[in-house]
Amino acid sequence: MSLLRVENLKTYYYTPLGVVRAVDGVSFEMEKGEILGVVGEIGAGKTTLGRSILRIVPEPGKIVDGRILFEGKDLLKLSESEMSRLRGRYISIIPETPILSLNPPFTIESQIKEVLKKHLGYSDEEARRETLHLLEQVVIPDREAILKSYPHELSGGMCQRVLIAIAFACRPSLVIADEPTTSVDVITQAQIVSLIRSMQREYGSSLIFITHDVGFASKLCRRMFIMYAGRILEMAPVEKLLTSPKHPYTKALIKVAYSMRSTKPTKGYLYTIKGSPPSPTQPPKGCIFEPRCEEKMEECSKIDSIPLFEVEKEHFVSCLLYR
Amino acid sequence: MGFLAYLARRAGSALLSFFIITIIAFILCRVVPGDPALLMVGSAVNPEEWFKEYQKMRALLGLDRPIYEQYLIWLRDIFTGNFGVSYRFNVPVGPLILERLPATLELVIPTVVLALLIGVLLSTPKFFRRMAWADKLASGFSFLGMSISYFIWGIFFIIIFGVSLNVLPISGRLDMGIELPRITGFIIIDSLLSGRFEAIGSFLKHLIMPVAALTLYEITLIHRINRSSMLSVMKEDYILMDKAKGLSQFHIVFVRGLRNALIPTLTLLGVQFTVLLSGSVIIEKMFAWPGIGKLLVSAVTYRDLPLIQGIIATYCIIVIITNFIIDSLYGKINPRIKYV
Ligand SMILES: Nc1ncnc2c1ncn2[C@@H]1O[C@H](COP(=O)(O)OP(=O)(O)OP(=O)(O)O)[C@@H](O)[C@H]1O
Ligand SMILES: [Mg+2]
């Protein structure tokens, strides 16, 4: 049995301007211990997907359809109190906005200890010892001082480390890391990624690694999928995706990534994808990528909800070219 | 160190505002129409004689001196603790105010505490899915209550509970026949100290209507401001994270959310405390409550300048103390707020 199996998940935001289909029919599966990469541009729906799995989608968002099978149980059928026993204990999240994600008037100590006390029933003394141990794990110097401090006294990188400690505190089966590298500088990025990697190994958790950076995802994950306007366009093991991308969007994305990273002088040439992502409230008919696609065919704008075709073992593409 | 320097700065600015406010009050008292000396000299047959009397009265009251000299004399009187002598009662103003102050505080303090508790409580159902009806009810009440002021509630209560049903006393602080030695002036404290516990019950019965009249309006204010600050706090990323950690909604609302939302509410509370202090005048008058309000009304009617001036100075001191307490609470509630 797989650890997590998401089937046809749909999460919409009902805004005054219309319905935003942030996650629109996403299905995937992951094994115990696996690191799965989720790659997508701004607004692709990555954060919403992560929050949907924990069932913490904020207003006016709503999970409207689908199933989320975690260790065989459908999370969407659990009561709110059953769900809150699971959150932070078996599934946890490393949020994308570290400096905004610690509650300002509470000390770092209390914000780490509370998960240990609530989920593992630790006494105050045990929780304190474990908290110090966790801070050591996430390489925080001057631990006693950090424990007493308040969130605003910490740098972004430090907040990120504290949040990683909280996420792994109860040795969860699944950790969702939501763009953990976006809000820190390049040197810290590498440190944070390797930290998450080592925590994941040490604690034996599975990991969903959300990022907009194909490069980071490829260094960390065995498999990844590409998200675009709420849908999965392509899913494959990392090498396959990098060496033989199938979907026109993936091809373009990888070209962009290479041209950004290339150290050879490119004479001012940077590859870009023309056009912009579709309007969230009025997506195009047919294939969601069709308006920007360089290989589009006539049927592309006619056939709704193109499924994922398996082109090779473990390699899925949502594109009519591979029908 | 930091805190001492902060205290010194606070004391400095407090002193400055005290002087500014009392000087303004001083000047206002002397430019508004109505000459206290005029009110105090009786009518005489002979205009010439009357005018002599009048001049003598002005000299007696010190009103013939230049205004800055009058102010300096008043300042000197403050330091002797008597705040001048009341024209009407012919006794020092300081003790006169102190005698009445406890009764007013007995109204205002329970009002502020109750309004805070109830107002905050009413602002929370919004954040529990099954309590939508309670939020609608609270908001409806709040909307209605906003347009009804203290004295309308007061009249309403007197008519219903005091007269029609005749279940609550409509005047004073204690039933007739209950004698209580005055120790602090606060009835609950005095009755505990003197062991006259029957006074407490009688006092609470008298307290219900005036406090209710004052509180209902305050509740709607607290409810509205706290609800709207909770609405924005509950959208913050840290609240989502608290949820992701598995904290219960109850804990998130009442501990994690409220602590962040309370700052604007406390600010309002501080302002309302001082507004109530003078706003309770009408209620005190209505319920024959022996507080400062009644004193102030008579002081104004008789142009009792030292008394008016003394009451204003008292309000001023209370405002300064309240602000200091509220400001220190800010730092306790939210560590991001530093002493500045
Ligand atoms: N609270 C909300 N209310 C309304 N719309 C929302 C809300 N949160 C997200 N959306 C919309 O849902 C879509 C997906 O947003 P989401 O944050 O999941 O994307 P993302 O892939 O995480 O993007 P980013 O790279 O910026 O983190 C976007 O169009 C966004 O505008
Ligand atoms: Mg995001």
Side-chain angles (χ1 to χ4, degrees), chain B residues 174 178-179 191 195-203:
Chain B
L174 286 174
I178 296 185
E179 294 286 329
S191 54
R196 311 276 311 254
F197 302 118
E198 75 278 10
I200 295 181
S202 168
F203 172 64

Side-chain angles (χ1 to χ4, degrees), chain A residues 13 15 20 22 40-49 51 58-60 96 178-179 212 280:
Chain A
Y13 292 99
T15 71
V20 176
E41 287 178 72
I42 286 172
K46 309 178 295 293
T47 300
T48 307
L49 173 63
R51 288 175 176 173
E59 293 278 308
E96 66 182 326
D178 191 356
E179 305 210 32
H212 58 257

Side-chain angles (χ1 to χ4, degrees), chain B residues 34-47:
Chain B
D35 185 342
L38 210 58
L39 287 171
M40 288 170 80
V41 209
S43 54
V45 219
N46 186 339

Side-chain angles (χ1 to χ4, degrees), chain A residues 51 54 56 58 80 84 87-88 93 95 97 100-106 111 114-115 118-119 150 152 163 166, chain B residues 129 236-248 251 255-257 259-260 332-338:
Chain A
R51 288 175 176 173
L54 266 182
I56 53 167
E80 189 52 34
S84 75
R87 293 184 190 121
I93 202 161
T97 49
L100 303 178
S101 294
L102 289 164
N103 204 320
F106 299 90
Q111 296 194 55
E114 68 192 348
V115 280
K118 171 163 173 122
H119 294 302
Y150 289 93
H152 70 281
L163 287 160
I166 293 173
Chain B
R129 215 175 320 134
E236 296 284 346
D237 285 354
Y238 53 76
I239 294 292
L240 209 68
M241 187 59 205
D242 283 337
K243 206 165 174 194
K245 285 159 91 176
L247 303 184
S248 68
H251 187 76
V255 180
R256 299 317 194 99
R259 183 127 172 218
N260 285 284
K332 285 262 176 302
I333 286 177
N334 194 334
R336 266 186 302 187
I337 296 172
K338 287 268 160 60

Side-chain angles (χ1 to χ4, degrees), chain B residues 5 11 54 76 79 99 103 108 113 116 118 153 175 190 215 267 269 291:
Chain B
Y54 171 69
R76 189 199 63 202
F79 290 108
E99 192 192 313
V108 173
V113 173
L116 179 67
I118 299 174
W153 284 119
D175 286 328
D190 288 354
T215 310
T267 311
L269 200 71

